[in-house]
Amino acid sequence: MGLRDPLYWLYEKRLERRLTSQEIPRHVGVVMDGNRRWAKSSGLGGAELGHRAGADKIFEVLRWCDELGVQVVTLWMLSTDNLSRDEDELGLLVRIIDQAIVRLREEGWNTKRVGALDILPDSTVRALKEAEEATSGNPGLVVNVAVGYGGRREIADAVRSLLHDEADRGTSIQELAERLDIEDIARHLYTRGQPDPDLLIRTSGEQRLSGFMLWQSVHSEFYFCEAYWPAFRRVDFLRALRSYGARNRRFGH
């Protein structure tokens, strides 16, 4: 063990001791960015090792969240834009995601699917449904798996679902237009029934949301971290929580 390791351990402990329960967000969303760049910068060559290291990192971060009392985590594993990637890399990425979902089920994390199932491969749809059915109601952290997810697509799907439901009740478009409010749409989002994210973290130094949780993030705090996702450390996570806890959340007041 080098000198750096105990120093970081001590620093982590100091950060953790200074956190209060009021500074722990209920819901954390994570844009897990930088797998390919991490592999390249580490001299590991192709994207496969980066994606596999990124999948392993998921379970470290879930343990940190669970230990600190976070209630919900949303992990953006595959966006609608990612589906246009090179066919070989996309196939590899989907297989790694499928394996991660199976591992979530095997480890007993309360897993929820978040995304458009109709645009995903059958293997991924099956893995998501099996994980959700097997872990529904499990105690502890809720893990939203955002696969085939796009913020604009989610809002469009929510409105479509709302229109279908109202049509089944015999509601006319005119009647719906006169009484439609924010909560009507919110009840049809992928994350319905859950608290909106308090904190959104994006790794790799990019400072944009790229469509992640567009509706739900209206009052979220953002934290952009320079580390690539596979290199994201517990100390980076604690710094994000420290930054969140230091902010004055006025919610428009």
Side-chain angles (χ1 to χ4, degrees), residues 64-224:
W64 302 339
C65 290
D66 198 37
E67 290 165 2
L68 291 168
V70 175
Q71 298 173 22
V72 182
V73 175
T74 299
L75 302 169
W76 200 6
M77 294 189 186
L78 186 74
S79 72
T80 50
D81 292 339
N82 292 152
L83 294 171
S84 63
R85 284 189 179 181
D86 173 79
E87 186 174 335
D88 289 340
E89 183 183 354
L90 180 59
L92 168 68
L93 181 55
V94 166
R95 287 194 296 274
I96 292 172
I97 288 171
D98 290 352
Q99 291 164 6
I101 295 168
V102 170
R103 183 174 168 186
L104 287 169
R105 186 193 70 204
E106 291 174 346
E107 293 191 6
W109 297 101
N110 187 343
T111 306
K112 307 292 183 186
R113 59 184 187 266
V114 174
L117 295 186
D118 60 299
I119 61 175
L120 295 175
D122 291 342
S123 63
T124 307
V125 174
R126 184 168 57 252
L128 286 167
K129 288 182 175 179
E130 289 176 354
E132 186 165 336
E133 290 170 4
T135 64
S136 178
N138 283 8
L141 187 68
V142 173
V143 182
N144 292 327
V145 179
V147 182
Y149 176 86
R152 289 177 174 177
R153 173 65 187 259
E154 179 180 22
I155 294 169
D157 282 350
V159 173
R160 187 179 299 110
S161 175
L162 170 64
L163 291 173
H164 280 306
D165 281 358
E166 293 296 336
D168 289 343
R169 295 189 182 98
T171 308
S172 70
I173 290 294
Q174 182 64 33
E175 291 171 329
L176 179 59
E178 289 176 356
R179 65 169 174 77
L180 181 67
D181 63 23
I182 291 171
E183 289 306 314
D184 289 323
I185 296 174
R187 282 192 292 270
H188 291 266
L189 295 171
Y190 301 146
T191 58
R192 55 190 171 272
Q194 298 180 354
D196 287 341
D198 302 294
L199 174 65
L200 294 180
I201 299 171
R202 180 169 187 159
T203 58
S204 86
E206 305 292 349
Q207 297 191 23
R208 61 181 182 273
L209 291 183
S210 300
F212 186 49
M213 306 193 85
L214 288 176
W215 181 282
Q216 300 92 330
S217 65
V218 63
H219 293 302
S220 300
E221 301 294 333
F222 303 151
Y223 186 84
F224 300 106

Side-chain angles (χ1 to χ4, degrees), residues 31 33 200-207 222-229 231-233 235-237 239-240:
V31 182
D33 196 17
L200 294 180
I201 299 171
R202 180 169 187 159
T203 58
S204 86
E206 305 292 349
Q207 297 191 23
F222 303 151
Y223 186 84
F224 300 106
C225 177
E226 292 294 325
Y228 297 135
W229 173 246
F232 188 65
R233 304 162 301 177
V235 70
D236 297 316
F237 182 61
R239 284 170 175 163

Side-chain angles (χ1 to χ4, degrees), residues 3 48 54 162 194 243 253:
L3 180 60
E48 179 174 359
L162 170 64
Q194 298 180 354
S243 176
H253 296 295

